[in-house]
Amino acid sequence: MLDQKTISVVKSTIPLLESAGPELTKHFYQRMFSHHPELKDIFNLAHQRKGDQPVALFNAVAAYAKNIDNLAALGPAVEKIAQKHTGFLITAEQYNIVGHHLLETLKELGGEAVTDEVIDAWGKAYGLLADIFIQRESQIYDDAAAHDGGWRGTRNFRITAKKQESSVITSFELTPVDGGPVMGFEPGQYLSLKVVHPDLENIEIRQYSLSDAPNGKSYRISVKRDPEGVVSQLLHDKFAVGDELAVIPPAGDFFLKTSAEKPLTLISGGVGLTPVMSMLNQRLTGETAETLWLHASEDGAAHAFGEEINHKLAQHNKLAAYTWYRVPGATDIQGSHYDFAGTMDLNAINGTLPTNGDFYICGPVGFMAHVKAQLTTMGVADAQIHYEVFGPHKGL
């Protein structure tokens, strides 16, 4: 535990952190990569270029400073980050590198306000936080290795099926090269791929949602083609059936936790349907209360898994589904391909919405914020609403 003096000194630096803003963490990453270019094989450089990762790190540092005397409040954020870190195979030694460059960044940008006392306090504070992460991540690594069909580090999988689900989403079935079983996962979790390819300047690690229920033999991921995403484009264009990928065990803290007796509403926008598709497939393996599937797509061309959902509707009388197309295409038929035009408006199905159940949402941040605001207006409590943000975490 930290002594009161250390806590007071760290909290006194909050105005300094807020005045520096994300420029502080941007400087940190530039500094660290200049001294340790090998870390470019771990960090998602696309998030660096877009500025998402520096902002996410700044928010995490500021939240830590503000809650340093109440670390329990950071529990959910710690779990989310620890799960992400294991998807990048972060090691205890790398925490030392990060800590060193974080302190040096404070010295370089803080001016006279950053005294030896401040550096000493932040050194202790960072050390405590690093230990929390190291211990939790070590547990996650150990659990994956001990699991039936589990492993540590990477394991080679072969692409045994590749299916275009829409104009922008392609599914990949991955089967272990060694022929052994694969560990289960919680519906909603993701796989991490360690991608090596001649077209890439660095090794790239990417995380993609598992889009089917566990089967013990293979995994299915569904990947959206990102016009700016070098890895997603490679997967779509250059990787074919028979090619191999290095896979890191499933991880993630966003997964289905509701009971089978409780109504469930799954809400997705765009490629956000991939983790909730896994949830739906798992949900429908047994007898359950009513399940509602709500999806928003740009149009029919971009709409993935439509036929699969229709097939499930024919099989399960407690499943209902509604689809919104923001701008229906010329060949999209209302009542056949989609139910409503425009953005998702839950008032259109207000009588159908089980407000006493759980709600799982995944999609663009703006979409999720729009949906959550509607649910709140309808009287749904925050505790019933669960969501996932792809990439560096953001609040709604």
Side-chain angles (χ1 to χ4, degrees), residues 35-50:
H35 287 79
H36 294 275
E38 73 277 7
L39 294 182
K40 292 181 179 180
D41 288 337
I42 297 175
F43 287 85
N44 186 330
L45 298 184
H47 289 158
Q48 298 292 331
R49 290 189 292 270
K50 294 176 183 177

Side-chain angles (χ1 to χ4, degrees), residues 82-125:
Q83 292 283 341
K84 286 283 187 182
H85 282 180
T86 60
F88 291 97
L89 301 179
I90 299 298
T91 66
E93 293 74 18
Q94 288 163 346
Y95 277 96
N96 294 330
I97 296 173
V98 169
H100 169 74
H101 290 285
L102 182 60
L103 295 181
E104 291 301 312
T105 295
L106 287 173
K107 290 179 186 178
E108 292 168 1
L109 297 188
E112 295 180 357
V114 178
T115 62
D116 289 343
E117 183 180 54
V118 167
I119 292 299
D120 181 62
W122 265 103
K124 292 178 181 178

